[in-house]
């Protein structure tokens, strides 16, 4: 690999290379006019699943929430829109440990500064160090910040928690089986309130059995509930409550700051002897703002048979029912089990006297569901729902929409090949008469009712740009989204589905597209059960409507799934079967009627921890499937310390248009296009270097390693994209402390082995390898290549950056054949001379100022236009757009002057007729002379 530093260029070479690079950038960049913003793209912003939240009492229209996605945000209580959002640090450093929203009644916690009338918000994030911040609740701006460096005890212990009480922040560090260390701090200044840390003896505390409830640290130990009030002066007094039976799991703290827990299906108050029966999945919340400081306990119960949410309330003083805020509302099966987060009530215009709850009490209840949705219920009705599951997208697919009724009739007529030519002529005439009749009825307004898909606008357009975007999230929620408008057409929730672990998400596979009219499209989601059995689960559904297909829906498999693949051949109904490999290395096909198409099918599996790969041949013999092991590779290295961190194959829908590359001498360098080639990356220490990255290109049919290369002192994250005859991957160079990107190209040479069919079993010759590395000025979050229907359009690489931008980089800049010392070669082949740094001008950012926070991945799909590729960028936000790497060569521009071209054509046509007449008259006159 060429060195990236200490490179010298002559002045002439630098000038020529800089000029050539400028020409490439000018030829590949594209701009965006102001009126085009949002015309071909859209962005949806999310905050993630709620960790904690509260109504901001300084405003009637603001809810402050902290989420699992490390986000602090304010949400409008009227519309559910995001008023402001602060995306905190990625990873554990940005994990929110405490959210405190000051209330007018808590004067000690009220942090007005410089005459600011807003009530501040306090957050504690991370642990090494812990960051304590104060935020302005009106604007979301940072007001103050201080950090806490952990002590030796804190670093060795786990489970440190925080709570706020009377303007003080308490830091609690449990040393399991020994004691608690409690340190109070002044919230704004960060100064320690006591000279030393309090050590409270508590030998009964046990990991995974304790919880912080208000100011109490409570643990369910055997048949007792033991708790300590950490804010009291005499905190050594242990509160003990009998549970009546063996404690099951950790107690659950009741939201609202009230010292109470739920254990063994009962509510226990830690300040009194009160207790109340609870269901195993009931939600609970304590609030003091309902009626002049009177603490109220709310209990939420979901009836899944009737899809109803019932909210009950009790006064904590005597546990008498509090009827004014008791209600029941519809709660669809697309929402998971709820958790009560906050409640706010106020008197309506017909309020009653003080000390008595009037019948006109208006309450808003904030819920967070199991699937991540945020729900606001007002007066017994759902006011709005935010689908925060879309902040955790795992996989997605663009699907063609169905044909319109008129196009479907034509397609059905063309597919009917029965009868002779006279029968076909009769069907054509009948169909045309029917179309004319429907057109007249439509004009008169008495035509047949449009189909459901037509009413929703879900019909295929002329250029194939309008598609259904099917998105699968980590919580098991599936969405059908319009890729043009961003509208959610349908939502399904699969509560029993989860991913496969080790970074392997659920799989979304397309068994049949909408092209085979009148057969509907069909997709399948493969996951595993959340239970200990971890057996496979399938959900077979129509991606356009979201409804399960006949004989589909949720299918429970009696085995654990190790590998999955779609069969190459389709059945009589154009359906591709699903080939599954279980952990006993037995093959299965769903549906079983398509098992015959699995004959001579090759599969491979990887063991990430052991860095091993195994290949299998599936054969169909005597009505049964047999699995034969064919090869095995160990990539763990001599030290056996390497682990597989990435495995990237080629897109199954990819088409390669050009088989070779024209050289300067007019010869052809043929590409090494092996459809069975998979890129595998391993990482780990060896005997000399602490971290080493190995990249292998493996033929998964024959098990041969085509090419390998190593990078020393390399750290993840690693991102790879594999297409045609090239591989591009990015990594962090720990030695140079920068992000680098490497490109590899494979060629067969000047002669092509086989131009028709590729066979990995015929021992093809090893390819010629071109490789080069470059420097990126920013860290990479995701990589993806553009893809088109025929593969004619040039390939571009989409680079998702950690800043939230997405750059569209031309392959000419990543070409490994860029010459270092030969400018003549560059001019002859039209290649840009090598420069180690890759530029990232603003013109190549496809999302301009539409930043996508915490980018996790990208998905591309071809459209009906060869020039255009559809793009989905997902992270904390969703961004959908379209790109044209070779410009829109098959589409007229938006500002095309149709009027002028029409006038020109009319004038030319008229002129041709006039000239023809004049010429004929001239010939007649000449004939009479």
């Amino acid at each position: 690999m060429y060195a990236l530093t200490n490179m010298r260029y002559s002045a002439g070479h630098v000038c020529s290379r800089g000029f050539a690079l400028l020409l490439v950038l000018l030829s590949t960049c594209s701009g965006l006019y102001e009126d085009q913003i949002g015309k071909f793209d859209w962005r949806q912003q999310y905050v993630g699943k709620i960790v904690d939240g509260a109504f901001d009492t300084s405003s009637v229209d603001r809810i402050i929430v902290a989420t699992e996605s490390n986000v602090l945000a304010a949400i409008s209580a009227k519309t559910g829109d995001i008023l402001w959002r602060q995306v905190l640090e990625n990873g554990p450093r940005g994990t929110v440990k405490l959210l405190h929203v000051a209330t007018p009644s808590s004067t000690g916690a009220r942090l007005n500064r410089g005459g600011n009338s807003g009530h501040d918000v306090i957050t504690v994030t991370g642990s090494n160090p812990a960051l304590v911040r104060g935020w302005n609740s009106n604007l979301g701006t940072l007001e103050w910040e201080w950090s806490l460096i952990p002590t030796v005890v804190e670093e060795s212990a786990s489970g440190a928690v925080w709570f706020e009480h009377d303007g003080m922040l308490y830091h609690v560090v449990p040393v399991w089986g020994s004691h608690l260390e409690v340190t109070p701090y002044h919230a704004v200044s960060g100064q320690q309130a006591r000279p030393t840390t309090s050590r409270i003896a508590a030998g009964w505390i046990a990991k995974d059995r304790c919880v912080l409830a208000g100011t109490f640290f409570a643990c369910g130990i055997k048949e007792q509930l033991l708790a300590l009030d950490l804010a009291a002066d005499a905190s050594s007094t242990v509160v003990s409550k009998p549970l009546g039976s063996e404690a099951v799991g950790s107690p659950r703290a009741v939201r609202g700051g009230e010292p109470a827990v739920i254990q063994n299906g009962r509510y226990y108050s830690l300040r009194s002897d009160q207790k109340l029966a609870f269901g195993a999945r009931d939600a609970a919340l304590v609030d003091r703002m309902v009626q002049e400081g009177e603490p109220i306990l709310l209990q939420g119960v979901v009836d899944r048979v009737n899809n109803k949410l019932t909210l009950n309330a009790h006064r904590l003083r005597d546990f008498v029912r509090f009827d004014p805020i008791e209600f029941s509302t519809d709660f669809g099966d697309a929402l998971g089990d709820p958790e009560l987060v906050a409640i706010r009530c106020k008197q309506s215009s017909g309020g009653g006297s003080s000390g008595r709850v009037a019948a006109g009490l208006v309450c808003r209840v904030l819920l967070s569901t199991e699937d991540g949705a945020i729900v606001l219920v007002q007066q017994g009705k759902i006011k709005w729902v935010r689908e925060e599951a879309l902040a955790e997208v795992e996989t997605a697919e663009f699907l063609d929409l169905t044909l319109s009724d008129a196009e479907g009739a034509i397609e059905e007529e063309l597919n009917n090949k029965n009868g002779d030519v006279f029968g076909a002529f009769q069907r054509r005439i009948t169909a045309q008469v029917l179309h004319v009749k429907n057109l007249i009825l439509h004009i008169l307004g008495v035509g047949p009712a449009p189909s459901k898909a037509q009413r929703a606008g879900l019909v295929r357009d002329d250029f194939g740009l309008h598609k259904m975007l099917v998105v699968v999230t980590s919580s098991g929620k599936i969405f059908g989204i319009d890729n043009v408008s961003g509208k959610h057409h349908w939502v399904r929730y699969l509560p029993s589905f989860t991913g496969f672990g080790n970074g392997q998400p659920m799989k979304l596979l397309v068994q049949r597209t909408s092209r085979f009219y009148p057969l509907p499209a069909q997709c399948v989601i493969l996951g595993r059960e959340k239970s200990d059995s971890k057996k496979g689960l399938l959900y077979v559904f129509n991606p356009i409507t979201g409804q399960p297909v006949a004989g589909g829906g949720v299918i429970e498999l009696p085995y654990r799934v190790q590998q999955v693949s779609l069969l190459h051949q389709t059945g009589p109904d154009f359906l591709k079967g699903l080939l599954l490999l279980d952990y006993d290395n037995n093959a299965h096909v769903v549906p079983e009627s398509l098992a015959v198409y699995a004959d001579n099918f090759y599969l491979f599996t990887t063991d990430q921890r052991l860095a091993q790969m195994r290949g299998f041949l599936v054969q169909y013999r005597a009505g049964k499937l047999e699995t034969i092991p064919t090869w095995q590779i160990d990539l763990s290295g001599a030290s056996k310390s390497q682990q597989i961190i990435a495995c990237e194959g080629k897109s199954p829908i990819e088409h390669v248009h050009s088989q070779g590359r024209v050289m300067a001498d007019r010869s052809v360098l043929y590409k090494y296009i092996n459809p069975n080639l998979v890129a595998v990356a391993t990482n780990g220490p060896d005997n000399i270097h602490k971290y080493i990255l190995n990249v292998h290109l493996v033929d998964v049919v024959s098990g041969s390693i085509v090419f390998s290369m190593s990078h020393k002192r390399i750290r993840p994250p690693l991102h790879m994209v594999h297409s045609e005859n090239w591989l591009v991957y990015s990594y962090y160079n720990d030695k140079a402390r920068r992000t680098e990107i490497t490109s590899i190209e494979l060629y067969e040479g000047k002669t092509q082995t086989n131009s028709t069919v590729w066979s990995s079993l015929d021992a093809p010759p090893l390819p010629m390898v071109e490789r080069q590395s470059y420097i990126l000025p920013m860290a990479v979050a995701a990589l993806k290549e553009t893809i088109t229907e025929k593969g004619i359009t040039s390939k571009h690489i989409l680079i998702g950056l950690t800043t939230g931008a997405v750059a569209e980089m031309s392959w000419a800049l990543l070409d490994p054949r860029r010459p270092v010392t030969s400018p003549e070669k560059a001019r002859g082949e039209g290649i840009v001379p090598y420069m180690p740094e890759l530029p990232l001008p603003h013109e190549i950012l496809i999302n301009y100022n539409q930043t996508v926070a915490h980018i996790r991945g990208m998905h591309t799909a071809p459209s009906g236009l060869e020039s255009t590729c559809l793009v989905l960028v997902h992270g904390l936000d969703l961004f959908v757009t379209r790109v044209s790497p070779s410009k829109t060569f098959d589409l007229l521009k938006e500002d095309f002057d149709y009027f002028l071209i029409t006038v020109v054509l009319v004038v030319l046509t008229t002129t041709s007729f006039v000239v023809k007449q004049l010429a004929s008259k001239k010939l007649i006159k000449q004939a009479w002379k």
Side-chain angles (χ1 to χ4, degrees):
M1 185 173 63
Y2 294 108
L4 296 176
T5 57
N6 299 326
M7 308 188 75
R8 299 181 179 178
Y9 303 95
S10 65
H13 287 176
V14 172
C15 182
S16 62
R17 296 179 185 191
F19 182 71
L21 181 61
L22 178 63
L23 290 178
V24 171
L25 290 176
L26 290 176
S27 64
T28 58
C29 72
S30 58
L32 186 72
Y33 293 101
E34 186 177 359
D35 59 350
Q36 290 180 315
I37 295 177
K39 188 171 184 179
F40 304 115
D41 57 70
W42 51 263
R43 180 184 65 167
Q44 295 177 356
Q45 292 184 302
Y46 299 96
V47 297
K49 186 178 181 180
I50 287 182
V51 173
D52 201 358
F55 285 92
D56 185 4
T57 54
S58 66
S59 171
V60 296
D61 187 30
R62 190 159 54 229
I63 302 171
I64 309 296
V65 297
T67 71
E68 293 180 356
S69 301
N70 299 357
V71 171
L72 176 69
I75 299 176
S76 171
K78 293 181 180 178
T79 62
D81 296 333
I82 299 176
L83 301 177
W84 55 261
R85 184 182 72 171
Q86 291 288 350
V87 181
L88 306 178
E89 293 83 357
N90 230 336
R93 192 182 177 196
T95 302
V96 179
K97 300 294 186 65
L98 172 69
L99 170 66
H100 173 71
V101 181
T103 61
S105 59
S106 56
T107 55
R110 190 169 179 174
L111 304 174
N112 296 333
R113 303 182 44 153
N116 180 14
S117 60
H119 298 281
D120 287 354
V121 177
I122 300 176
T123 61
V124 180
T125 59
S127 58
N128 189 15
L131 296 176
V132 183
R133 292 166 171 152
W135 307 86
N136 184 293
S137 60
N138 295 323
L139 304 175
T141 54
L142 181 65
E143 294 186 345
W144 48 264
E145 177 185 43
W146 54 271
S147 61
L148 177 66
I149 305 298
T151 63
V152 176
V153 175
E154 294 171 23
E155 290 180 347
S156 60
S158 60
V161 291
W162 294 75
F163 70 90
E164 189 277 342
H165 182 69
D166 289 339
M168 306 290 290
L169 285 178
Y170 290 79
H171 186 211
V172 183
V173 180
V175 180
W176 304 113
S178 176
H179 63 277
L180 294 170
E181 296 193 357
V182 182
T183 309
Y185 297 91
H186 293 285
V188 178
S189 64
Q191 295 180 353
Q192 191 168 328
R194 300 172 188 168
T196 59
T197 298
S198 302
R199 291 169 59 97
I200 304 173
W204 40 267
I205 62 175
K207 194 174 182 180
D208 299 329
R209 306 285 292 182
C210 301
V211 70
L212 183 69
T215 62
F216 282 76
F217 195 82
C219 300
I221 306 298
K222 294 185 178 180
E223 298 182 357
Q224 281 188 321
L225 180 64
L226 305 177
L228 283 170
D229 189 354
L230 304 179
D233 295 333
S235 56
S236 58
T237 304
V238 179
V239 177
S240 176
K241 293 181 178 297
L243 296 177
S245 60
E246 183 73 16
V248 179
S250 172
R252 181 158 51 102
V254 177
R255 287 183 181 268
E258 184 70 15
V261 297
I262 296 177
Q263 178 81 51
N264 290 7
R266 284 185 177 274
Y267 167 90
Y268 291 90
S269 174
L270 300 178
R271 293 192 187 276
S272 63
D273 296 331
Q274 295 171 330
K275 61 182 179 179
L276 182 68
F278 259 63
R281 303 178 68 86
D282 290 0
L285 171 69
V286 173
D287 190 88
R288 292 178 176 272
M289 301 301 296
V290 175
Q291 186 191 6
E292 297 183 355
E294 175 85 24
I296 301 297
L297 171 66
L298 292 94
Q299 178 183 7
V301 183
V302 176
D303 179 10
R304 281 302 175 190
V305 177
N306 301 313
N307 286 329
K308 290 284 186 180
L309 168 65
T310 303
L311 191 68
N312 301 318
H314 297 79
R315 287 201 306 255
L316 280 184
R317 176 164 38 88
D318 49 13
F319 273 5
V320 175
R321 279 288 184 94
F322 192 73
D323 296 334
I325 56 173
E326 182 175 348
F327 59 83
S328 180
T329 183
D330 293 333
F331 207 74
D333 55 3
L335 294 172
D337 292 335
E339 181 180 0
L340 299 176
V341 178
I343 184 173
R344 185 179 183 186
C345 298
K346 66 177 182 178
Q347 296 289 344
S348 62
S349 57
S353 60
S354 176
R356 180 177 178 273
V357 179
L361 195 66
V362 178
C363 293
R364 288 175 173 174
V365 182
L366 182 66
L367 306 175
S368 175
T369 63
E370 187 182 23
D371 58 278
I374 303 176
V375 184
L376 186 75
V377 179
Q378 179 173 321
Q379 292 303 95
K381 295 183 179 179
I382 294 179
K383 188 175 180 65
W384 49 259
V385 177
R386 287 189 58 87
E387 296 290 359
E388 295 300 332
L390 288 170
E392 297 285 345
V393 173
E394 288 197 343
T395 184
E397 283 286 349
F398 287 92
L399 275 300
D400 289 327
L401 296 173
T402 57
L403 298 173
S404 63
D405 294 342
E407 292 174 337
I410 296 175
E411 190 76 16
E412 197 170 280
E413 176 189 344
L414 295 176
N415 289 337
N416 191 349
K417 303 186 183 301
N418 299 326
D420 53 8
V421 64
F422 297 104
F425 179 75
Q426 182 181 0
R427 288 194 301 270
R428 165 59 65 182
I429 297 299
T430 305
Q432 292 295 336
V433 171
L434 183 60
H435 291 166
V436 173
K437 177 183 176 181
N438 290 337
L439 178 62
I440 295 174
L441 293 177
H442 178 71
I443 295 175
L444 297 176
V446 294
S451 63
K452 185 178 180 180
Q454 282 187 305
R455 289 196 302 269
L458 297 179
V459 291
R460 196 180 307 170
D461 61 327
D462 295 332
F463 299 134
L465 298 171
H466 191 191
K467 292 178 181 286
M468 176 66 76
L469 176 59
V470 180
V471 174
V472 181
T473 65
S474 60
S475 64
K477 210 163 190 178
I478 317 165
F479 295 85
I481 304 176
D482 193 316
N483 79 309
V484 173
S485 64
K487 178 182 177 182
H488 299 179
H489 286 285
W490 54 265
V491 181
R492 293 291 178 272
Y493 179 46
L494 307 175
S496 57
F497 278 63
T498 187
F500 293 93
N502 296 325
Q504 295 296 320
M506 290 179 281
K507 304 296 182 182
L508 173 61
L509 303 165
V510 182
Q511 292 186 284
R512 181 173 57 212
T513 65
S514 300
R515 298 186 177 184
F516 304 101
Y517 187 88
L519 297 173
Q522 181 171 318
C523 289
V524 60
I525 293 176
L526 173 65
R528 73 175 185 184
E529 293 181 352
K530 291 182 178 179
S531 61
D532 296 336
S533 66
K534 298 181 180 180
K535 293 182 178 179
L537 292 174
L538 295 176
Y539 178 66
V540 187
F541 65 102
N542 184 331
I544 308 302
T545 63
Q547 297 294 333
V549 301
V554 177
I555 301 175
E556 298 181 3
L557 302 176
Y559 47 83
R560 295 175 59 193
V561 178
Q562 182 181 192
Q563 183 61 287
V564 61
S565 178
L566 282 174
L567 298 179
H568 302 316
Q569 296 180 331
T570 61
D573 54 354
F574 304 102
L575 189 72
K576 288 187 177 181
L578 208 63
L579 179 61
L580 304 170
L581 186 70
D582 62 22
Y583 275 84
D584 294 327
N585 295 331
N586 295 322
H588 311 268
V589 173
V590 179
E592 295 181 358
S593 59
L594 300 178
V596 63
Y597 299 106
D599 190 27
N600 291 329
F601 197 98
Y602 288 88
L603 282 174
F604 77 97
T605 61
T606 60
D607 189 321
Q608 294 184 350
R609 186 178 60 85
L610 300 178
Q612 293 181 350
M613 300 181 67
R614 301 179 64 188
F616 301 91
L617 172 61
V618 179
Q619 293 184 331
Y620 185 76
R621 296 290 183 269
K624 294 183 179 180
L625 291 174
E626 298 179 2
T627 307
I628 304 173
T630 54
W631 55 266
Q632 183 172 346
I633 299 176
D634 188 353
L635 302 176
S636 60
S639 60
K640 302 296 181 182
S641 59
Q642 295 281 307
Q643 292 186 352
I644 295 177
I645 59 173
C647 183
E648 191 73 23
K650 299 178 182 179
S651 174
I653 62 173
E654 179 182 70
H655 291 86
V656 181
H657 176 72
S658 176
Q659 299 291 322
R661 182 170 186 166
V662 180
M663 310 299 290
D665 58 358
R666 302 304 179 191
S667 62
V668 177
L669 190 62
Y670 289 99
K671 298 177 181 179
Y672 182 83
I673 304 174
N674 184 350
N676 306 316
L677 204 62
V678 171
V680 182
T682 62
N683 182 253
D686 63 358
N687 298 328
I688 301 176
H689 300 90
K690 189 175 181 180
Y691 291 99
I692 185 169
L693 172 69
N694 294 318
V695 178
H696 310 276
L697 295 177
V698 182
D699 190 312
V700 293
V701 171
S702 63
S704 59
I705 299 179
V706 176
F707 175 73
S708 295
M709 68 181 300
S710 298
H711 304 267
K712 297 177 177 62
R713 295 189 65 178
I714 298 300
R715 289 178 179 268
L718 175 76
H719 304 282
M720 306 177 72
V721 57
H722 192 191
S723 177
E724 292 190 1
N725 68 319
W726 51 263
L727 172 70
V728 173
Y729 55 94
S730 66
Y731 48 86
Y732 181 75
N733 189 325
D734 195 42
K735 180 180 180 180
R737 297 186 180 276
R738 65 194 180 197
T739 299
E740 296 179 0
I741 188 167
T742 296
S743 60
I744 300 174
E745 265 191 322
L746 307 178
Y747 292 96
E748 287 191 51
K750 296 297 183 69
T751 59
Q752 195 171 18
T753 304
N754 193 328
S755 60
T756 56
V757 179
W758 177 274
S759 176
S760 297
L761 302 178
D762 291 343
L766 291 178
M768 299 168 48
V769 180
E770 299 280 354
R771 49 187 172 175
Q772 191 59 276
S773 294
Y774 302 92
I775 302 171
L776 278 174
M778 297 182 185
V780 176
L783 286 178
K784 195 65 179 178
E785 85 280 14
T786 60
I787 186 170
T788 54
E789 194 167 13
K790 302 296 183 184
I792 300 174
T793 304
S794 301
K795 289 275 188 179
H796 280 190
I797 309 300
L798 301 178
I799 306 176
L801 305 174
T802 54
T803 59
V806 181
E808 181 186 1
M809 185 162 290
S810 171
W811 176 251
L813 296 176
L814 292 170
D815 193 341
R817 301 189 72 253
R818 291 177 61 179
V820 178
T821 59
S822 177
E824 295 79 10
K825 177 183 177 182
R827 287 193 296 268
E829 297 186 25
I831 305 176
V832 183
Y834 177 76
M835 291 185 67
E837 296 86 2
L838 289 176
L840 288 177
H842 294 289
E843 291 80 7
I844 67 173
L845 303 182
I846 65 173
N847 60 336
Y848 43 104
N849 65 347
Q850 303 293 302
T851 303
V852 181
H854 292 173
I855 294 177
R856 295 186 184 90
M858 293 181 287
H859 182 75
T860 57
S863 67
L865 293 174
E866 172 57 31
S867 64
T868 306
C869 172
L870 305 178
V871 180
L872 164 68
V873 184
H874 61 86
L876 184 60
D877 307 324
L878 293 184
F879 179 75
V880 173
T881 186
R882 61 181 75 161
V883 295
S884 301
S886 299
K887 309 293 183 176
T888 51
F889 57 84
D890 51 0
L891 193 65
L892 294 177
K893 295 183 179 180
E894 293 182 9
D895 56 352
F896 184 79
D897 198 336
Y898 294 94
F899 177 76
L900 178 61
I901 195 66
T902 303
V903 171
V904 170
L905 289 175
V906 171
V907 171
L908 289 177
T909 304
T910 305
T911 304
S912 64
F913 279 107
V914 172
V915 171
K916 182 179 179 181
Q917 293 295 329
L918 294 177
S920 62
K921 290 180 180 180
K922 184 178 179 180
L923 291 175
I924 293 174
K925 288 180 180 181
Q926 290 178 350
W928 281 98
K929 288 182 180 179

